[in-house]
Amino acid sequence: MYKLYSMQRSGNSYKVRLALALLDAPYRAIEIDILRGESRTPDFLAMNPSGQVPLLEVAEGRYLAESNAILWYVAIGTSLAPESRIERAEALQWMFFEQHALEPNIGAAYFWLSLVKGGRDLQTHALEDWMERGYAALQVMENHLKTHDYFAAGQLTVADIALYGYTHLADRCDFDLATFPAIRAWLRRVEQIPGFVSMDWRPDAAVEDPASAAAEA
C-alpha cells in the first residue's frame, strides 16, 4: 500500500489524492502541514530534500516527489494515462503547462490569499502579476476547451487532474471564472466522473500525526 505525505489544503497534494481515488487505489495518508514547518523537519527532509508535499512512498524507503511525476507513476497502465505516443505527449504538454503557467500564478495566489494569515498584505506587490498571468493561462485553457471535452486523448487523463487541482480553487483567490464558460463546464464534467472526491475528502486510513506514522515505519 502506498504511503502518501500530503497537505489537505494543498492543490498539488489534492491532485494525487484525486487520482488515487479515481483509480480506487488503497493508500495511507499522512497529513503534513507545511505552514507549521512539518515538511522541514530532519525526518521529512531525509525522505524529500526539497521539503515539499506531496511525497509518495512507493516501496519501503523509496520515495517519489513532484505531484505530476506521482500522477504519471500511479496512472501508468490505467485509463488515466493515454496509450498512444502522441496522446501521452499531449497529456505531458498540458501537465508542463500547468506547472509553468497555472500553478505559479493561481497556485501562488491561492496559497497567499487563502492559506496564509495576512498573506494579501505580504504579497501586494506580486498579486497583480499573478492575476495577469493566471488569467492568461485560463484563457489558453478556455480556448482549448471550446472544442474539446478534455485536455488529451478525448477522455479524462492525468492532464485533467493536474489542471483541475488549482483551477477549481481559482474563485477562492480573486479569479472570476464568469467569462470562462468552457472551463466551468469542464470542471463540472470532471466532478461527475465516478470516484471523484473533493479536496476536503479524507481517506478512511488517514493518519493525522506524522510523528506517529514515522514511529510505525
Side-chain angles (χ1 to χ4, degrees), residues 36-53:
R36 300 172 66 179
E38 293 177 358
S39 66
R40 309 302 302 182
T41 65
D43 286 345
F44 190 86
L45 290 172
M47 297 184 293
N48 183 13
S50 71
Q52 296 176 334
V53 291

Side-chain angles (χ1 to χ4, degrees), residues 144-197:
H144 176 82
L145 290 169
K146 287 177 181 177
T147 55
H148 300 80
D149 285 342
Y150 298 100
F151 282 94
Q155 64 180 50
L156 184 84
T157 69
V158 283
D160 297 280
I161 295 173
L163 288 160
Y164 182 88
Y166 279 108
T167 303
H168 92 286
L169 298 172
D171 61 357
R172 301 191 195 182
C173 51
D174 291 7
F175 288 91
D176 184 0
L177 296 182
T179 58
F180 299 98
I183 287 180
R184 298 199 312 274
W186 166 75
L187 290 173
R188 292 192 296 270
R189 244 183 331 269
V190 172
E191 291 157 5
Q192 292 166 1
I193 296 291
F196 173 86
V197 296

Side-chain angles (χ1 to χ4, degrees), residues 58-126:
V58 299
E60 186 174 356
R62 189 82 181 262
Y63 301 96
L64 188 60
E66 298 296 332
S67 59
N68 287 352
I70 297 172
L71 287 182
W72 268 110
Y73 179 84
V74 301
I76 292 299
T78 77
S79 63
L80 294 181
E83 292 186 5
S84 77
R85 183 177 180 181
I86 183 59
E87 288 175 343
R88 285 196 173 192
E90 288 171 346
L92 283 169
Q93 166 188 282
W94 283 108
M95 294 172 83
F96 295 150
F97 171 86
E98 185 267 340
Q99 283 292 284
H100 74 71
L102 192 77
E103 194 272 349
N105 299 302
I106 295 179
Y110 167 72
F111 180 82
W112 287 102
L113 301 187
S114 297
L115 301 186
V116 178
K117 186 176 181 179
R120 183 182 296 274
D121 293 333
L122 292 171
Q123 295 294 334
T124 301
H125 64 286

Side-chain angles (χ1 to χ4, degrees), residues 97 101 130-141 175 180:
F97 171 86
W130 290 338
M131 300 300 292
E132 180 181 353
R133 292 194 295 260
Y135 273 121
L138 291 170
Q139 190 60 59
V140 172
M141 294 169 61
F175 288 91
F180 299 98

